[in-house]
Amino acid sequence: MKKVLVISGHPDLKISTANRAILDELAKKLPDAEIRRLDELYPDYQFDVAAEQAALEKADVIVFQFPFHWYSVPGLLKLYIDKIFLHSWAYGSKGKALSGKKLIVSTTIGAPEALYKKDGEFQHEPPEFAYFLERFAILCSMTCAAPIYTCGMMYVPGVSTPEVKEDVIAKAKAQAQRIVEAI
């Protein structure tokens, strides 16, 4: 059985609907997976590098789960990558700790999918924004699965309707299932 590590890069899961629902669903579907909620583990953004590297080393499959922020990963996940994936450990001539592991990039996108088309407002499709994570995986000698994403995942308490919340949760559960299938 593959050892799965899920890294939640949401900066504040207490206010999340979609990412929290995905993580909850993954916990049900993959009870042996380790789910590391960075916002809870490191509210001060001071990572325990040795603990994080040890968790990554034990995994066969690593899932980055995060909300799409400014066409990229949230600052918390970017800092995690910067601080944990060090030269001579993750990459470089001596950096082979992650060699052969599989990376799955999973993100939730608030805007509707119609905006993420060549002729849409953002002029690019969501997988194009994952290019740097694909290159990151290759640099670390990992394989990278096709990005998993869902658009229209915006729910604002007190503004959105209960039906919108139900729709976001249903789409989150479907995304969690796609993650399970990609593992």
Side-chain angles (χ1 to χ4, degrees), residues 19-97:
N19 279 263
R20 192 173 57 227
I22 288 169
L23 295 173
D24 290 348
E25 192 70 10
L26 288 175
K28 289 178 195 170
K29 292 181 176 289
L30 302 169
D32 295 330
E34 180 178 0
I35 299 176
R36 298 184 71 79
R37 293 169 167 85
L38 298 180
D39 67 319
E40 294 173 9
L41 289 169
Y42 306 109
D44 60 358
Y45 285 35
Q46 299 300 309
F47 301 109
D48 181 338
V49 174
E52 294 307 313
Q53 288 179 342
L56 290 160
E57 287 175 357
K58 287 189 290 187
D60 299 310
V61 179
I62 299 162
V63 178
F64 282 172
Q65 176 59 53
F66 59 93
F68 198 55
H69 278 198
W70 289 104
Y71 313 104
S72 188
V73 299
L76 176 61
L77 184 55
K78 176 61 171 91
L79 185 61
Y80 178 85
I81 291 168
D82 290 347
K83 297 292 185 182
I84 306 305
F85 294 81
L86 300 176
H87 185 272
S88 295
W89 179 78
Y91 66 97
S93 62
K94 297 179 184 175
K96 302 298 179 198

Side-chain angles (χ1 to χ4, degrees), residues 6 9 11 15 19 53 64 105 107 135 144 148 167 178:
V6 179
I15 62 168
N19 279 263
Q53 288 179 342
F64 282 172
V105 174
T107 189
R135 298 307 314 161
C144 191
I148 298 171
D167 181 56
R178 292 196 315 273

